[in-house]
Amino acid sequence: MKVVNEVNWMIGGPQGTGVDSSANLFSQACASAGLWVFGKREYHSNIKGKHSYFQVRVSDKPIHSHVDDVHILATFEDSTARLHAHEVVKGGALIYDPTKITLDDLNLKSGVITLPIDFNSVIRHVAEVTGMEYGTLSLMKNTIAVAASMALLRMDISNMEETLARMYTGRKAKLVAPNVAASKKAYEAVDALPDEMHDQFPYHLEPQKNTPKRLLINGAQANSLGKLKAGCRYQTYYPISPATDESNFLESHPEYGIAVVQCEDEIAAIDMALGAATTGVRASTATSGPGFCLMAEGLGWGGMNEVPIVLFDYQRGGPSTGLPTRHEQGDLMFAAFGGHGEYPRLVMAPATINDHFHLAFESFNYADKFQTPVIILNDKFLTHSLETISPFKENSLVIDRGRLATQPELEAAIADGKGFPRFRPDPKTVLSPRPYPGQEGSPYWMTGDEHDDYGHITENPENRRKMHEKRMAKYRLMLEQIPEDRQFSFHGDPNADITLVCWGSTFGALEDALPLLKERGINANFLHLRMLNPFPISAEKFLRKAKKLVMVENNWGTQLGHLIRMSTGIFIPAQIVKYTGRPMSLNEILDSVEKIHKKQVAPEMDPLTGQSIEKVVLTYGL
Amino acid sequence: MVSKLQTPLTVTAYKSDVHNDWCPGCGDFGILQAIQQSCAELALPPWETMVFAGIGCSGKVFNYMASHGVHTLHGRVLPFAVGAKIANPDLEVVAVGGDGDGYGIGAGHFVHAGRRNVDMAYIVMTNEVYGLTKGQASPTLGRGQQTKSLPLPNTNDAIQPLALALSSGYTWIGRSYAFDGRHLKEMIKKAIEHKGMALLDVLQPCPTFNDLHTAEWFNKKVKVEGETNMVSRIFNVNEVGHDGSVKDPTNLDEVTDKQKKAFEMAHHHGERIPVGVFYEIKLPTYTERMQAQAPMLKKYSPARIPYEDASHLPTTDLSKTYEEFLF
């Protein structure tokens, strides 16, 4: 039985040995063959030596999640084979170096095809034909593993050769020839194996013809492009995983004129972005958990002074330094409530890699429109996941800078001589006009202290009430003015038996799961909340109508579940959670929903609520 | 480029109508007055001038100015001010704060602001105490000294801000005294006019909490070895032969020599207190460094790069960058 275009390929190795580049090479070769790709990357908080791996799922249909079954495990040293051999399915294949491991040491399923490759002899061959030194070519083991995989998958080598030429340009162009020679040699060796061997391996990839061009992109890149499109021209950051990729990407594109400032700490990062924003530039900062905590004070200042600013929090495993390079959806409560006192902040999270672009774009409009901080909750999973997506739809994008000061208003301020009434609430729209320094008539005052219409400090109780109510009224404006389809989305049969409730990056696995659950006889739908604070109360109707609600979250306590209870009174006892630092796979979603559907989950007491809950804790993945 | 008014305004134009609630006799009055006079004499358009302030008594300067006034967070005045200046170098940005604010809670920012050499002035009002929280020791109070509110003498050594600024890369370093109006004003003007990051440390009495270093103490004549007559405590280093101005920034011998002299002067011992310009060098500003890497910034400041058309459609063309990802 042939399985065409449904392959999950994995490569692994010590960090610093080119695992990433080989996964990029494999993904790009598949993408250029018109196939859809979803790649997930796992790595340690370490530079050299510790185990990392990258799995790439390939299909001829769009895919948005990763799966656990491995069809090809490509290895070139011993650790990866030892750690992942058990994940290869029957009929799958292991590519390995017989000089490094003996198969008896591995926990392989029966029926796994084993393909020994003498990596060193291939490299010796390359050294001979190119005249390069053997020692400089050791990193090519990855390329050899990829080429061997391509031969097993019966994919033409030409896609890979083209990809190599595209990957290595400029200073690295000299790497093309040896890599091509190595891949040819490895490909030919595997290709020349007897037909019986090839016939045992059912997984094939077939290039798709005349497919439209697609982007092969990760979350950090998509996010950065959305920011540039929105006109963001000021980015601050302090190095932190996994947020730094975004700032690095922006800095590597000086042609857009964006000022990317590496700060001394995250306190400076948020405050510098705020200072920049007061001049009218669209400004943002990107960070992860520990840095986000340091920004709490600055965000409050932004809320008090009605400064449009966007903070991108690339969530990772917490608390404290936690799991610096692993995934978690653990910052929701902090984003919604962190900080002293009350101020309005809009919290949203992108659903997909495509959505990273669109939400990043929109977030600057929302910050300007509501004149308050916006927090976007990205996460490690999609930040580093590679996906083929259709090019971003740009034709509906519009810039909205919100309520800016008009010329007559500036002239009135000059005539008045008291400064610009920057904070005077508009009786109808609540919001006040915002002038920029540089405009004649613009001067006004900003302070974290309570202040009057002009920004002068006052502790007058009536003024306090007026200003506090004005700021907090922005929550109502957000609910009214952010389109409902940007607040949340509902997917699947409205009358389904199970309604899964999620936010952020679990979207992809649930989207892919619905039709597969149907195959298992389970009719499920899902509600995805994109806007998380203020709570999108119009989504309540879907919660009320649901026959059985199940929370799906990458954290321990279902943080969104608590927000739902807080805002609607609805308590959701069925929970699928994962807090190992790894994202939820499609397999895990399917199995856990089935478990809940079949009532196979033993009830337990929830210490946060005292209620009985049915909690499935997912654990898969190294 | 920061623009200048064709017709200068009077000093009143830089004074807001907010009631001033500093304690009578506070050194802050002198500093505020000198800032306002400097703005008038430099003909700065108030609407293009942003005065950022920290938290504490000194922080209230923001509200008494009739330019843009920004009251930031405790210790954070520099990141806010630096952010604004990088975003729009056409604005005149001045940062003001106390010694607790800048050398204590804000010390990390103080150091790194020097490394960037953003073209702005930072005026620190140094009175050795945390005034607004009722007189605790600030980082400039010497060890063993006991000002009015301290239950016991100070256990920490004082930092030397001018030497710290020197080590951090500030390209203009000076000191003045709050009640020497003429010198202070000239120093503020120099700090503002300097192209790069300027630190002006201004000594001032706190009449309420610093009972050691009062206005009388600053004005007192002191006895110096080798001099028959009593001399003023405060002396201008530039009037006694100290020239801290680097003529050729590429001449490392000269740079080291001027830095050594400035460092020694910053650590001046004895009864007398030196004021004046301690060190000065011309190096590329942060904006110039950015412009060298991103030519678009020569044409526009980050705050003024166009990115939308008249109907608010985004105009940033990403197609070149998309090519990196298209398959």
Side-chain angles (χ1 to χ4, degrees), chain A residues 488-501:
Chain A
F488 59 87
S489 60
F490 182 81
H491 306 264
D493 175 5
N495 298 312
D497 300 316
I498 287 189
T499 297
L500 306 164
V501 184

Side-chain angles (χ1 to χ4, degrees), chain A residues 137-152:
Chain A
L137 298 170
S138 65
L139 270 180
M140 271 182 349
K141 287 183 179 174
N142 309 290
T143 307
I144 296 167
V146 173
S149 306
M150 289 295 179
L152 260 184

Side-chain angles (χ1 to χ4, degrees), chain A residues 375-393:
Chain A
I375 300 166
I376 303 297
L377 292 174
N378 298 345
D379 59 44
K380 182 264 157 188
F381 172 40
L382 288 187
T383 297
H384 289 150
S385 288
L386 258 184
E387 193 182 325
T388 40
I389 54 173
S390 300
F392 302 122
K393 287 201 178 70

Side-chain angles (χ1 to χ4, degrees), chain A residues 229 253 256 264 394 438 447, chain B residues 47 71 116 316 321-322 324:
Chain A
K229 194 77 188 174
H253 288 281
Y256 297 105
E264 54 271 27
E394 292 190 343
T447 171
Chain B
W47 56 92
H71 195 208
R116 295 190 187 96
T316 306
T321 309
Y322 285 148
E324 290 175 38

